Amino acid sequence: MSEAMVKAEAVHKSFGRLEVLKGISLEVAPKEVMCLLGPSGSGKSTFLRCVNHLENIDGGRLSVDGQLVGYREHKNKLYEQRESEIAKSRSEIGMVFQRFNLFPHKTAIQNVIEAPVLVKKVEKKEAIERGRDLLHRVGLADKLDEYPARLSGGQQQRVAIARALAMEPKLMLFDEVTSALDPELVKEVLDVMRDLARGGMTMVVVTHEMGFARDVADRVVFMDGGVVVEEGPPASVLDAPREERTKRFLGLVREH
């Protein structure tokens, strides 16, 4: 197997006395779509934030595309990198959050070109051309000059996805990106994510959308209490879970 795109080895993370991640070990292969499922507070979102070093880890190792994230190693000890080095590796990891986090005073196209121009020093003309293509790709070709306040939640979330893609990331992280949306807007965002998956983008997706996990994921990971309880192909984890905790969680999800 080629080098894992994401490799977590016994990753620990605490907030004060609360241990949120209790030794998570996972690998995500290039072009793989992994869906993380689990109840609120199980550590899914925290793990995602550790992958691009929005949270630093307290133990273990975490690498993306063969490089440690946020740390350098010297004589078997890890040292946190300088902010500029962290920013560089973070620029290769796209992340889309539950809240859209768009700049309210900038139009859709301005939101999309901001990071490539400022961070990657892409020529503005080139950034605009690519930004147009990306907004077209997410079905918003007619909304280039609209401000976020004039867009629906689903449209704002699609702008957020286009903005993350504008940095040409090798990995995309999605943190419950549909949970703040009205039900009728969920499908338009999931369709964009399906399209990305078909295009071979490596994706780690924290979600409660079981249909999406079943259709799109190569692998489903069920987390609870800061540990990986069960993982495998969607059919085995979702249809024939082995662990009692997984069965209980899926039973509750199906009731809603």
Side-chain angles (χ1 to χ4, degrees), residues 20 24 37 59 62 113 138 141 152 159 168 179 192 235 250:
V20 180
I24 297 287
L37 311 178
L62 193 45
I113 69 170
V138 299
S152 71
V159 173
E168 302 184 315
S179 59
V192 170
L250 292 172

Side-chain angles (χ1 to χ4, degrees), residues 177-195:
V177 295
T178 57
S179 59
L181 300 178
D182 293 333
E184 68 271 19
L185 301 178
V186 168
K187 182 180 181 300
E188 65 190 47
V189 174
L190 293 180
D191 283 347
V192 170
M193 293 166 66
R194 287 174 202 274
D195 185 51

Side-chain angles (χ1 to χ4, degrees), residues 123-142:
E123 286 287 325
K124 190 167 182 185
K125 184 166 172 286
E126 186 188 329
I128 289 172
E129 273 182 29
R130 178 157 167 73
R132 281 176 190 274
D133 289 345
L134 287 168
L135 286 168
H136 184 269
R137 184 176 174 186
V138 299
L140 294 173
D142 58 338

Side-chain angles (χ1 to χ4, degrees), residues 52-53 67-73 79-93 119:
N52 71 350
H53 205 67
Q67 301 290 319
L68 286 172
V69 178
Y71 299 91
R72 58 187 173 81
E73 191 168 20
Y79 298 88
E80 194 159 14
Q81 290 177 323
R82 289 195 296 273
E83 194 51 51
S84 60
E85 295 171 302
I86 294 169
K88 183 181 182 309
S89 50
R90 195 180 282 146
S91 74
E92 299 180 326
I93 304 170
V119 180

